[in-house]
Amino acid sequence: MGDERHEKIQKRAYQIWEREGGGDPEHHWHRAEAEIDREAAPTADDALPREIASTDVLEVEELAMRTGISGDEAQALLDRLGTDRAAVEQAARSLKARKAAKS
């Protein structure tokens, strides 16, 4: 395991642990590892699931972390746009860009 990858996973696992107020560190590590590996995938199509279930809390969290929006914003997009991965990702990136422009 490369040192850089290990550090990224460690940092992400800690962020998940903080957000959840504790819990199972091994579970957080595995989630962080999956997120980091997904982000490092060669193309966006390889990195993203074809559909997103809006009731899946982990998918909401992953969408939020991957796109830099809040969990509430991610859930609202999923509720509004359904399971169309491409539409949800595009809307999330647009939302993030609009927020950045206001800052």
XYZ file of all heavy atoms in Angstrom:
804
model
N 0.856 -1.178 0.000
C 0.000 0.000 0.000
C 0.894 1.230 0.000
O 1.799 1.357 0.797
C -0.896 -0.042 1.247
C -1.781 1.181 1.383
S -2.786 1.201 2.881
C -3.847 -0.167 2.628
N 0.659 2.150 -0.932
C 1.468 3.353 -0.996
C 1.215 4.255 0.193
O 0.110 4.313 0.739
N 2.264 4.961 0.603
C 2.136 5.866 1.753
C 1.096 6.947 1.526
O 0.318 7.272 2.420
C 3.485 6.515 2.061
C 4.484 5.531 2.646
O 4.046 4.480 3.171
O 5.689 5.811 2.578
N 1.049 7.510 0.321
C 0.087 8.574 0.023
C -1.348 8.053 0.107
O -2.218 8.691 0.696
C 0.356 9.142 -1.371
C -0.542 10.308 -1.713
C -0.221 10.877 -3.091
O 0.906 10.681 -3.588
O -1.117 11.502 -3.663
N -1.596 6.890 -0.466
C -2.935 6.285 -0.417
C -3.321 5.998 1.025
O -4.441 6.279 1.449
C -2.971 5.008 -1.243
C -4.329 4.329 -1.228
C -4.335 3.103 -2.161
N -5.591 2.417 -2.106
C -5.864 1.414 -1.268
N -4.933 0.983 -0.430
N -7.049 0.838 -1.265
N -2.403 5.434 1.781
C -2.664 5.113 3.181
C -3.037 6.362 3.969
O -3.985 6.357 4.761
C -1.438 4.436 3.794
C -1.655 3.954 5.188
N -1.436 4.745 6.290
C -2.102 2.763 5.653
C -1.720 4.072 7.378
N -2.131 2.872 7.026
N -2.303 7.446 3.755
C -2.585 8.704 4.454
C -3.948 9.264 4.072
O -4.682 9.770 4.922
C -1.495 9.737 4.160
C -0.192 9.427 4.867
C 0.899 10.435 4.536
O 0.574 11.583 4.180
O 2.073 10.057 4.634
N -4.306 9.175 2.782
C -5.617 9.649 2.335
C -6.739 8.846 2.993
O -7.731 9.412 3.438
C -5.743 9.542 0.815
C -4.967 10.575 0.055
C -5.174 10.394 -1.436
C -4.400 11.400 -2.240
N -4.599 11.208 -3.690
N -6.561 7.543 3.031
C -7.574 6.684 3.645
C -7.686 6.992 5.134
O -8.790 7.113 5.680
C -7.248 5.191 3.408
C -7.360 4.856 1.925
C -8.169 4.295 4.243
C -6.802 3.502 1.553
N -6.559 7.145 5.785
C -6.548 7.443 7.217
C -7.270 8.760 7.504
O -8.102 8.842 8.408
C -5.095 7.505 7.704
C -4.955 7.638 9.190
C -3.480 7.546 9.605
O -2.583 7.847 8.818
N -3.247 7.132 10.827
N -6.981 9.775 6.704
C -7.612 11.081 6.887
C -9.122 10.987 6.647
O -9.922 11.519 7.412
C -6.988 12.096 5.931
C -7.493 13.507 6.132
C -6.886 14.442 5.100
C -5.757 15.208 5.700
N -5.185 16.219 4.804
N -9.523 10.297 5.583
C -10.946 10.165 5.263
C -11.667 9.354 6.335
O -12.780 9.700 6.727
C -11.102 9.512 3.894
C -12.529 9.336 3.425
C -13.208 10.630 3.020
N -12.487 11.356 2.020
C -12.595 11.190 0.695
N -13.431 10.289 0.215
N -11.875 11.909 -0.136
N -11.052 8.287 6.813
C -11.672 7.472 7.862
C -11.897 8.302 9.118
O -12.938 8.195 9.777
C -10.808 6.249 8.168
N -10.953 9.159 9.430
C -11.098 10.033 10.597
C -12.235 11.032 10.383
O -13.021 11.302 11.297
C -9.788 10.768 10.887
C -9.861 11.639 12.109
C -9.902 11.070 13.381
C -9.920 13.017 12.006
C -9.987 11.858 14.512
C -10.000 13.821 13.129
C -10.032 13.236 14.387
O -10.120 14.015 15.501
N -12.356 11.563 9.172
C -13.455 12.485 8.871
C -14.801 11.794 9.042
O -15.738 12.369 9.590
C -13.330 13.022 7.440
C -12.177 13.960 7.239
C -11.930 14.278 5.768
O -12.395 13.571 4.871
N -11.168 15.345 5.525
N -14.902 10.566 8.581
C -16.138 9.802 8.732
C -16.407 9.554 10.206
O -17.533 9.720 10.690
C -16.060 8.460 7.953
C -15.977 8.737 6.453
C -17.251 7.574 8.275
C -15.615 7.520 5.617
N -15.373 9.184 10.949
C -15.512 8.936 12.386
C -16.009 10.192 13.093
O -16.912 10.130 13.917
C -14.171 8.487 12.950
C -14.165 8.284 14.429
C -14.576 7.170 15.107
C -13.743 9.221 15.422
N -14.428 7.358 16.448
C -13.915 8.608 16.679
C -13.224 10.508 15.367
C -13.595 9.245 17.865
C -12.907 11.142 16.556
C -13.099 10.517 17.791
N -15.412 11.338 12.769
C -15.837 12.597 13.381
C -17.298 12.913 13.049
O -18.065 13.305 13.910
C -14.971 13.762 12.884
C -13.652 13.883 13.570
C -12.923 15.144 13.129
O -12.904 15.457 11.916
O -12.388 15.828 14.028
N -17.661 12.786 11.781
C -19.009 13.099 11.326
C -20.049 12.228 12.012
O -21.136 12.687 12.330
C -19.074 12.937 9.808
C -20.270 13.561 9.167
C -20.233 13.551 7.649
N -19.901 12.264 7.069
C -18.792 12.010 6.399
N -17.888 12.932 6.212
N -18.569 10.814 5.892
N -19.689 10.977 12.255
C -20.630 10.049 12.872
C -20.533 10.038 14.393
O -21.283 9.344 15.057
C -20.424 8.646 12.315
C -20.796 8.567 10.849
C -20.710 7.169 10.296
O -20.350 6.222 11.034
O -21.016 7.010 9.106
N -19.606 10.801 14.946
C -19.469 10.863 16.398
C -18.944 9.581 17.007
O -19.310 9.208 18.108
N -18.063 8.912 16.302
C -17.476 7.674 16.804
C -17.986 6.488 16.017
O -18.450 6.612 14.900
N -17.909 5.330 16.627
C -18.368 4.118 15.961
C -17.228 3.157 15.706
O -16.171 3.233 16.324
N -17.449 2.270 14.761
C -16.518 1.194 14.442
C -15.412 1.686 13.504
O -15.664 1.956 12.329
C -17.289 0.052 13.787
C -16.412 -1.123 13.419
O -15.240 -1.169 13.843
O -16.902 -2.019 12.693
N -14.181 1.817 13.999
C -13.089 2.324 13.162
C -12.819 1.457 11.927
O -12.464 1.975 10.874
C -11.876 2.335 14.083
C -12.354 2.014 15.444
C -13.755 1.520 15.348
N -13.011 0.166 12.050
C -12.775 -0.724 10.905
C -13.787 -0.440 9.791
O -13.437 -0.393 8.611
C -12.854 -2.189 11.337
C -12.479 -3.146 10.227
C -12.427 -4.583 10.698
O -12.311 -4.833 11.917
O -12.491 -5.459 9.832
N -15.041 -0.228 10.183
C -16.085 0.117 9.208
C -15.739 1.434 8.524
O -15.848 1.559 7.309
C -17.444 0.209 9.911
C -18.551 0.644 9.028
N -19.066 -0.145 8.025
C -19.238 1.807 8.983
C -20.027 0.510 7.403
N -20.151 1.695 7.962
N -15.297 2.430 9.294
C -14.923 3.722 8.732
C -13.742 3.570 7.772
O -13.695 4.220 6.722
C -14.562 4.717 9.850
C -15.708 5.012 10.754
N -15.534 5.303 12.076
C -17.049 5.051 10.540
C -16.709 5.506 12.643
N -17.637 5.360 11.728
N -12.790 2.731 8.139
C -11.619 2.512 7.289
C -12.046 1.929 5.944
O -11.617 2.398 4.891
C -10.620 1.592 7.987
C -9.372 1.405 7.163
C -9.141 0.467 6.199
C -8.208 2.233 7.206
N -7.898 0.643 5.656
C -7.301 1.714 6.247
C -7.835 3.330 7.962
C -6.059 2.272 6.031
C -6.594 3.882 7.741
C -5.718 3.359 6.784
N -12.905 0.914 5.976
C -13.341 0.274 4.732
C -14.133 1.240 3.850
O -13.964 1.255 2.632
C -14.151 -0.989 5.011
C -13.330 -2.103 5.579
N -12.287 -2.688 4.900
C -13.384 -2.717 6.777
C -11.738 -3.621 5.647
N -12.386 -3.660 6.798
N -14.973 2.059 4.450
C -15.715 3.057 3.690
C -14.767 4.067 3.073
O -14.895 4.433 1.905
C -16.734 3.770 4.581
C -17.965 2.925 4.823
C -18.996 3.576 5.681
N -19.237 4.969 5.413
C -19.722 5.813 6.307
N -20.005 5.393 7.535
N -19.946 7.063 6.002
N -13.800 4.530 3.862
C -12.828 5.509 3.369
C -12.007 4.912 2.225
O -11.765 5.572 1.209
C -11.916 5.961 4.507
N -11.599 3.679 2.392
C -10.810 2.998 1.366
C -11.599 2.907 0.055
O -11.068 3.204 -1.024
C -10.446 1.602 1.873
C -9.480 0.851 1.017
C -9.057 -0.447 1.677
O -9.894 -1.111 2.335
O -7.883 -0.792 1.538
N -12.871 2.549 0.152
C -13.709 2.452 -1.051
C -13.863 3.813 -1.722
O -13.804 3.925 -2.951
C -15.077 1.875 -0.688
N -14.069 4.850 -0.929
C -14.225 6.194 -1.482
C -12.955 6.655 -2.189
O -13.013 7.186 -3.300
C -14.593 7.185 -0.381
C -15.994 6.998 0.157
C -16.289 7.893 1.349
O -15.494 8.819 1.632
O -17.323 7.671 1.992
N -11.807 6.463 -1.544
C -10.527 6.887 -2.127
C -10.260 6.125 -3.418
O -9.858 6.713 -4.430
C -9.364 6.699 -1.119
C -9.554 7.586 0.112
C -8.014 6.919 -1.789
C -9.575 9.078 -0.146
N -10.506 4.827 -3.413
C -10.276 4.031 -4.617
C -11.228 4.445 -5.733
O -10.837 4.504 -6.898
C -10.426 2.543 -4.311
C -9.280 2.009 -3.480
O -8.237 2.693 -3.360
O -9.430 0.894 -2.929
N -12.470 4.743 -5.393
C -13.444 5.169 -6.394
C -13.014 6.501 -7.009
O -13.111 6.703 -8.205
C -14.826 5.302 -5.768
C -15.917 5.531 -6.791
C -17.311 5.570 -6.182
N -17.625 4.345 -5.480
C -17.856 4.265 -4.164
N -17.830 5.330 -3.414
N -18.136 3.109 -3.601
N -12.527 7.412 -6.173
C -12.074 8.710 -6.668
C -10.854 8.576 -7.580
O -10.655 9.397 -8.462
C -11.748 9.639 -5.496
C -12.972 10.073 -4.732
C -12.641 10.761 -3.422
O -11.443 10.956 -3.115
O -13.578 11.100 -2.697
N -10.042 7.556 -7.351
C -8.825 7.362 -8.137
C -9.068 6.552 -9.409
O -8.148 6.351 -10.190
C -7.766 6.662 -7.287
N -10.309 6.136 -9.638
C -10.622 5.348 -10.832
C -10.291 6.159 -12.084
O -10.407 7.383 -12.084
C -12.092 4.949 -10.822
N -9.898 5.502 -13.166
C -9.437 6.202 -14.361
C -10.461 7.139 -15.007
O -10.102 8.153 -15.540
C -9.062 5.087 -15.333
C -9.108 3.828 -14.582
C -9.779 4.072 -13.284
N -11.736 6.774 -14.993
C -12.747 7.629 -15.611
C -13.927 7.785 -14.669
O -14.141 6.983 -13.771
C -13.274 7.033 -16.928
O -13.996 5.838 -16.628
C -12.162 6.752 -17.912
N -14.715 8.810 -14.910
C -15.900 9.048 -14.084
C -16.876 7.884 -14.202
O -17.509 7.498 -13.224
C -16.576 10.353 -14.497
N -17.014 7.298 -15.387
C -17.937 6.181 -15.540
C -17.517 4.978 -14.717
O -18.348 4.226 -14.228
C -18.051 5.768 -17.014
C -18.883 6.758 -17.811
O -19.674 7.505 -17.188
O -18.740 6.788 -19.043
N -16.215 4.774 -14.556
C -15.731 3.672 -13.735
C -15.933 3.968 -12.250
O -16.078 3.068 -11.446
C -14.239 3.423 -13.970
C -13.955 2.884 -15.358
O -14.872 2.316 -15.977
O -12.816 3.045 -15.815
N -15.915 5.240 -11.889
C -15.943 5.627 -10.489
C -17.340 5.691 -9.894
O -17.488 5.626 -8.692
C -15.282 6.991 -10.324
N -18.363 5.819 -10.713
C -19.697 6.073 -10.185
C -20.645 4.914 -10.439
O -20.583 4.278 -11.486
C -20.269 7.332 -10.844
C -19.408 8.573 -10.701
C -19.984 9.688 -11.555
C -19.335 8.987 -9.254
N -21.542 4.680 -9.499
C -22.545 3.645 -9.736
C -23.504 4.108 -10.832
O -23.676 5.301 -11.044
C -23.257 3.533 -8.383
C -23.032 4.851 -7.735
C -21.705 5.344 -8.215
N -24.125 3.180 -11.522
C -25.072 3.522 -12.583
C -26.322 4.186 -12.021
O -26.890 5.060 -12.627
C -25.477 2.272 -13.363
C -24.333 1.712 -14.154
C -24.051 2.593 -15.346
N -22.845 2.130 -16.014
C -22.015 2.912 -16.636
N -22.217 4.193 -16.689
N -20.957 2.430 -17.226
N -26.769 3.726 -10.875
C -27.940 4.311 -10.230
C -27.647 4.521 -8.761
O -26.837 3.820 -8.170
C -29.160 3.400 -10.370
C -29.686 3.315 -11.772
C -31.000 2.588 -11.838
O -31.390 1.947 -10.850
O -31.642 2.656 -12.883
N -28.322 5.488 -8.174
C -28.149 5.794 -6.765
C -29.501 5.667 -6.084
O -30.459 6.288 -6.516
C -27.612 7.229 -6.559
C -26.274 7.405 -7.286
C -27.477 7.553 -5.081
C -25.803 8.829 -7.353
N -29.570 4.875 -5.037
C -30.811 4.754 -4.282
C -30.867 5.872 -3.261
O -30.006 5.981 -2.400
C -30.864 3.390 -3.583
N -31.871 6.730 -3.355
C -31.924 7.903 -2.481
C -32.091 7.517 -1.017
O -31.824 8.316 -0.142
C -33.049 8.838 -2.907
O -34.295 8.214 -2.766
N -32.534 6.308 -0.736
C -32.700 5.893 0.650
C -31.408 5.341 1.242
O -31.351 5.065 2.429
C -33.795 4.817 0.760
O -33.449 3.719 -0.086
C -35.141 5.365 0.341
N -30.379 5.181 0.447
C -29.116 4.623 0.902
C -28.245 5.737 1.496
O -27.687 6.563 0.775
C -28.399 3.943 -0.250
C -27.158 3.184 0.181
O -26.642 3.444 1.294
O -26.694 2.343 -0.583
N -28.124 5.759 2.810
C -27.391 6.812 3.510
C -25.938 6.872 3.062
O -25.381 7.963 2.892
C -27.481 6.603 5.042
C -26.621 7.607 5.775
C -28.919 6.694 5.499
N -25.325 5.736 2.846
C -23.924 5.728 2.412
C -23.765 6.375 1.047
O -22.800 7.108 0.809
C -23.382 4.296 2.384
C -23.301 3.583 3.722
C -22.776 2.169 3.533
C -22.449 4.347 4.701
N -24.694 6.129 0.146
C -24.624 6.751 -1.176
C -24.780 8.264 -1.075
O -24.123 9.017 -1.784
C -25.683 6.167 -2.112
C -25.442 4.740 -2.506
C -24.182 4.541 -3.330
O -23.710 5.495 -3.977
O -23.658 3.418 -3.331
N -25.658 8.710 -0.181
C -25.843 10.150 0.022
C -24.543 10.752 0.531
O -24.080 11.784 0.031
C -27.008 10.438 0.992
C -27.072 11.910 1.359
C -28.332 9.973 0.395
N -23.922 10.100 1.524
C -22.652 10.592 2.067
C -21.557 10.611 1.003
O -20.796 11.568 0.902
C -22.183 9.716 3.228
C -22.893 9.980 4.514
C -22.289 9.171 5.654
O -21.218 8.558 5.475
O -22.900 9.175 6.724
N -21.489 9.563 0.213
C -20.457 9.486 -0.819
C -20.656 10.577 -1.865
O -19.692 11.209 -2.303
C -20.449 8.112 -1.476
C -19.900 7.038 -0.562
C -19.977 5.658 -1.169
O -20.218 5.537 -2.387
O -19.792 4.686 -0.426
N -21.909 10.815 -2.256
C -22.197 11.885 -3.203
C -21.758 13.224 -2.628
O -21.111 14.027 -3.298
C -23.688 11.917 -3.555
C -24.135 13.088 -4.432
C -23.484 13.011 -5.809
C -25.653 13.116 -4.549
N -22.081 13.457 -1.375
C -21.715 14.719 -0.727
C -20.200 14.892 -0.678
O -19.678 15.952 -1.033
C -22.308 14.780 0.685
N -19.484 13.867 -0.267
C -18.023 13.969 -0.161
C -17.371 14.086 -1.534
O -16.432 14.856 -1.716
C -17.468 12.772 0.596
C -17.876 12.773 2.059
S -17.097 11.476 2.989
C -15.450 12.115 3.096
N -17.877 13.327 -2.489
C -17.285 13.315 -3.825
C -17.463 14.658 -4.528
O -16.606 15.079 -5.294
C -17.936 12.184 -4.632
C -17.343 11.912 -5.957
C -17.892 10.646 -6.610
N -19.333 10.630 -6.753
C -20.153 9.792 -6.113
N -19.687 8.898 -5.275
N -21.449 9.825 -6.323
N -18.576 15.329 -4.271
C -18.879 16.553 -5.005
C -18.705 17.823 -4.185
O -18.791 18.916 -4.717
C -20.312 16.513 -5.558
O -21.225 16.345 -4.475
C -20.477 15.385 -6.560
N -18.480 17.694 -2.874
C -18.246 18.866 -2.038
C -19.500 19.614 -1.634
O -19.442 20.799 -1.333
N -20.652 18.920 -1.612
C -21.882 19.545 -1.142
C -22.260 18.916 0.192
O -21.679 17.913 0.602
C -23.029 19.393 -2.167
C -23.383 17.916 -2.406
C -22.665 20.086 -3.482
C -24.578 17.696 -3.303
N -23.234 19.498 0.874
C -23.627 18.951 2.175
C -24.469 17.690 1.993
O -25.029 17.444 0.916
C -24.429 19.988 2.965
O -25.730 20.117 2.423
N -24.576 16.924 3.048
C -25.407 15.725 3.017
C -26.866 16.048 2.748
O -27.545 15.335 2.011
N -27.351 17.139 3.329
C -28.737 17.549 3.094
C -28.954 17.925 1.633
O -29.983 17.594 1.041
C -29.118 18.720 4.000
C -29.231 18.313 5.462
O -29.413 17.106 5.743
O -29.143 19.204 6.319
N -27.981 18.620 1.062
C -28.089 18.995 -0.354
C -28.052 17.751 -1.242
O -28.805 17.654 -2.220
C -26.960 19.946 -0.737
C -27.083 21.318 -0.100
C -25.836 22.164 -0.216
O -24.723 21.589 -0.231
O -25.981 23.392 -0.288
N -27.194 16.806 -0.892
C -27.109 15.561 -1.659
C -28.430 14.806 -1.591
O -28.932 14.331 -2.616
C -25.966 14.688 -1.134
N -29.012 14.711 -0.399
C -30.283 14.003 -0.264
C -31.384 14.710 -1.054
O -32.187 14.061 -1.720
C -30.691 13.909 1.210
C -31.975 13.115 1.432
C -31.839 11.660 1.049
O -31.011 10.957 1.602
N -32.627 11.203 0.094
N -31.396 16.038 -1.016
C -32.414 16.792 -1.757
C -32.289 16.539 -3.265
O -33.304 16.381 -3.955
C -32.295 18.278 -1.452
N -31.053 16.491 -3.760
C -30.855 16.212 -5.189
C -31.340 14.815 -5.542
O -31.997 14.611 -6.566
C -29.386 16.354 -5.569
C -28.825 17.774 -5.627
C -27.336 17.737 -5.923
C -29.555 18.600 -6.662
N -31.012 13.856 -4.709
C -31.446 12.489 -4.969
C -32.967 12.373 -4.925
O -33.565 11.682 -5.746
C -30.811 11.529 -3.962
C -29.312 11.322 -4.146
C -28.723 10.593 -2.953
C -29.029 10.575 -5.422
N -33.578 13.066 -3.975
C -35.036 13.037 -3.876
C -35.677 13.669 -5.109
O -36.692 13.197 -5.606
C -35.515 13.760 -2.618
C -35.174 13.009 -1.338
O -34.856 11.802 -1.415
O -35.213 13.633 -0.268
N -35.067 14.747 -5.589
C -35.629 15.482 -6.713
C -35.358 14.795 -8.053
O -36.222 14.742 -8.923
C -35.068 16.902 -6.740
C -35.794 17.806 -7.731
C -35.291 19.233 -7.681
N -34.101 19.333 -8.514
C -32.971 19.922 -8.159
N -32.861 20.509 -6.988
N -31.942 19.964 -8.965
N -34.147 14.251 -8.227
C -33.744 13.727 -9.528
C -33.823 12.212 -9.651
O -33.614 11.675 -10.729
C -32.320 14.196 -9.846
C -32.154 15.710 -9.934
C -30.696 16.081 -10.066
C -32.972 16.280 -11.084
N -34.063 11.542 -8.556
C -34.172 10.088 -8.607
C -32.823 9.409 -8.707
O -31.831 9.896 -8.180
N -32.785 8.306 -9.429
C -31.585 7.470 -9.444
C -30.729 7.647 -10.689
O -29.828 6.852 -10.928
C -31.978 5.978 -9.318
O -32.825 5.645 -10.426
C -32.677 5.703 -8.015
N -30.979 8.677 -11.470
C -30.175 8.930 -12.666
C -28.824 9.494 -12.247
O -28.691 10.664 -11.927
C -30.904 9.905 -13.583
C -30.138 10.177 -14.872
O -28.925 9.876 -14.950
O -30.761 10.718 -15.803
N -27.814 8.649 -12.239
C -26.480 8.998 -11.752
C -25.922 10.235 -12.440
O -25.426 11.154 -11.793
C -25.526 7.824 -11.945
C -24.090 8.156 -11.599
C -23.119 7.096 -12.077
N -23.271 6.725 -13.450
C -22.729 7.381 -14.486
N -22.013 8.450 -14.281
N -22.910 6.961 -15.708
N -26.019 10.298 -13.740
C -25.433 11.417 -14.476
C -26.109 12.733 -14.114
O -25.439 13.746 -13.904
C -25.530 11.159 -15.973
N -27.424 12.728 -14.020
C -28.157 13.953 -13.678
C -27.833 14.412 -12.265
O -27.645 15.613 -12.021
C -29.656 13.725 -13.831
N -27.741 13.474 -11.342
C -27.438 13.813 -9.956
C -26.033 14.388 -9.840
O -25.816 15.415 -9.189
C -27.612 12.576 -9.036
C -27.065 12.854 -7.648
C -29.073 12.163 -8.967
N -25.061 13.752 -10.483
C -23.678 14.233 -10.433
C -23.556 15.630 -11.041
O -22.899 16.500 -10.491
C -22.744 13.264 -11.160
C -22.572 11.943 -10.467
C -21.812 12.041 -9.165
O -20.894 12.882 -9.040
O -22.121 11.266 -8.268
N -24.201 15.844 -12.175
C -24.136 17.145 -12.830
C -24.782 18.219 -11.953
O -24.233 19.314 -11.793
C -24.825 17.085 -14.190
C -24.736 18.393 -14.946
C -25.355 18.291 -16.324
O -25.919 17.273 -16.701
N -25.246 19.352 -17.093
N -25.923 17.912 -11.368
C -26.610 18.876 -10.502
C -25.769 19.190 -9.269
O -25.692 20.340 -8.829
C -27.978 18.336 -10.096
N -25.117 18.184 -8.707
C -24.275 18.396 -7.528
C -23.092 19.293 -7.859
O -22.763 20.212 -7.100
C -23.792 17.055 -6.974
N -22.451 19.056 -8.994
C -21.316 19.904 -9.388
C -21.762 21.337 -9.667
O -21.070 22.294 -9.336
C -20.615 19.303 -10.597
C -19.847 18.052 -10.243
C -18.950 17.578 -11.378
N -18.389 16.303 -11.037
C -18.850 15.133 -11.484
N -19.860 15.090 -12.311
N -18.281 13.999 -11.119
N -22.933 21.486 -10.275
C -23.465 22.829 -10.543
C -23.766 23.557 -9.239
O -23.477 24.749 -9.104
C -24.748 22.734 -11.376
O -24.468 22.240 -12.662
N -24.343 22.834 -8.286
C -24.647 23.425 -6.982
C -23.372 23.885 -6.292
O -23.303 24.991 -5.767
C -25.398 22.408 -6.106
C -25.753 22.844 -4.705
C -26.643 24.071 -4.722
C -26.436 21.714 -3.964
N -22.337 23.043 -6.329
C -21.071 23.409 -5.713
C -20.467 24.647 -6.389
O -19.975 25.549 -5.728
C -20.089 22.248 -5.776
C -18.769 22.582 -5.114
C -17.790 21.447 -5.205
C -16.476 21.831 -4.566
N -15.458 20.834 -4.730
N -20.540 24.697 -7.708
C -20.001 25.842 -8.443
C -20.753 27.132 -8.107
O -20.134 28.181 -7.932
C -20.063 25.572 -9.953
N -22.078 27.038 -7.982
C -22.860 28.218 -7.616
C -22.506 28.696 -6.211
O -22.390 29.889 -5.971
C -24.359 27.922 -7.694
C -24.895 27.887 -9.110
C -26.414 27.895 -9.144
N -27.035 26.854 -8.365
C -27.375 25.654 -8.804
N -27.159 25.343 -10.061
N -27.955 24.777 -8.004
N -22.319 27.759 -5.293
C -21.950 28.124 -3.916
C -20.572 28.777 -3.903
O -20.355 29.748 -3.184
C -21.975 26.884 -3.017
C -23.380 26.432 -2.684
C -23.452 25.116 -1.959
C -22.435 24.871 -0.910
N -22.608 23.617 -0.184
N -19.655 28.255 -4.695
C -18.293 28.812 -4.739
C -18.307 30.206 -5.346
O -17.549 31.075 -4.902
C -17.379 27.891 -5.542
N -19.154 30.439 -6.321
C -19.241 31.744 -6.965
C -19.777 32.802 -6.001
O -19.410 33.972 -6.093
C -20.115 31.679 -8.198
N -20.636 32.392 -5.075
C -21.207 33.317 -4.102
C -20.205 33.686 -3.020
O -20.326 34.715 -2.394
C -22.451 32.710 -3.452
C -23.629 32.649 -4.380
C -24.829 32.044 -3.674
C -26.020 31.924 -4.608
N -27.162 31.335 -3.931
N -19.229 32.814 -2.807
C -18.251 33.044 -1.729
C -17.247 34.100 -2.071
O -16.915 34.461 -3.080
C -17.510 31.762 -1.408
O -18.408 30.801 -0.962
